[in-house]
Amino acid sequence: MPMNVESFNLDHTKVAAPYVRLVGITEGSKGDKVYKYDLRIKQPNKDHMNMPALHSLEHMLAEFSRNHHDHILDIGPMGCQTGFYIAVLNDDSYENILTVIENALKDVLEATEVPACNEVQCGFAASHSLEGAKQLAQELLDKRDEWTEVFAEQQ
């Protein structure tokens, strides 16, 4: 029986990270559409991001992606520490989203600090790693040509 949460219906043993996939589209009562993407960075059940690097990458993607797109609603980490969900308003272009992610990751590589990494703006300011975030960004950019391939070939 299908479950209510889309990712619970995804066979995590069949995917091949890294990838970006459209998870779903939600249409509002006035016609606006929210496009939700799965930005998978680490292979499920095989690897995960450590929390300081994940936390810093979250701050950086949340801030930097908005420099490249006016309708980013949210970028939030997955509890399994393997990726992020990205919610975008009224942009159905998968290629645009790939470009936004790519440009934001390039911004991460150029950053000299993690945005909002202080006790006033962050709930766990002691848990950050600029170098860890940069390493994750570089790993993702190195595999940019794989982002559109979600499922592994069957052996």
Side-chain angles (χ1 to χ4, degrees), residues 116-131:
C117 180
N118 59 70
E119 291 184 4
V120 172
Q121 295 174 295
C122 178
F124 193 13
S127 178
H128 280 282
S129 172
L130 174 62
E131 290 309 313

Side-chain angles (χ1 to χ4, degrees), residues 50-67:
N50 71 55
M51 282 307 297
L54 177 155
H55 190 191
S56 293
L57 188 59
E58 174 199 9
H59 276 229
M60 297 169 97
L61 289 177
E63 180 66 20
F64 300 154
S65 64
R66 288 169 168 90
N67 294 333

Side-chain angles (χ1 to χ4, degrees), residues 19-101:
Y19 63 79
V20 178
R21 77 181 176 96
L22 179 63
V23 172
I25 304 167
T26 303
E27 187 168 350
S29 61
K30 305 223 185 242
D32 283 325
K33 292 182 181 179
V34 175
Y35 296 83
K36 182 178 175 185
Y37 292 89
D38 169 348
L39 168 58
R40 195 67 60 141
I41 297 171
K42 298 292 186 175
Q43 186 63 33
N45 299 299
K46 304 287 184 198
D47 200 3
H48 66 280
M49 295 178 280
N50 71 55
M51 282 307 297
L54 177 155
H55 190 191
S56 293
L57 188 59
E58 174 199 9
H59 276 229
M60 297 169 97
L61 289 177
E63 180 66 20
F64 300 154
S65 64
R66 288 169 168 90
N67 294 333
H68 303 288
H69 199 292
D70 293 332
H71 297 288
I72 299 289
L73 296 176
D74 188 37
I75 296 182
M78 296 175 181
C80 61
Q81 297 171 240
T82 62
F84 294 89
Y85 286 113
I86 301 172
V88 181
L89 183 65
N90 294 328
D91 185 348
D92 65 353
S93 174
Y94 179 71
E95 290 301 321
N96 280 354
I97 300 312
L98 295 178
T99 300
V100 168
I101 295 167

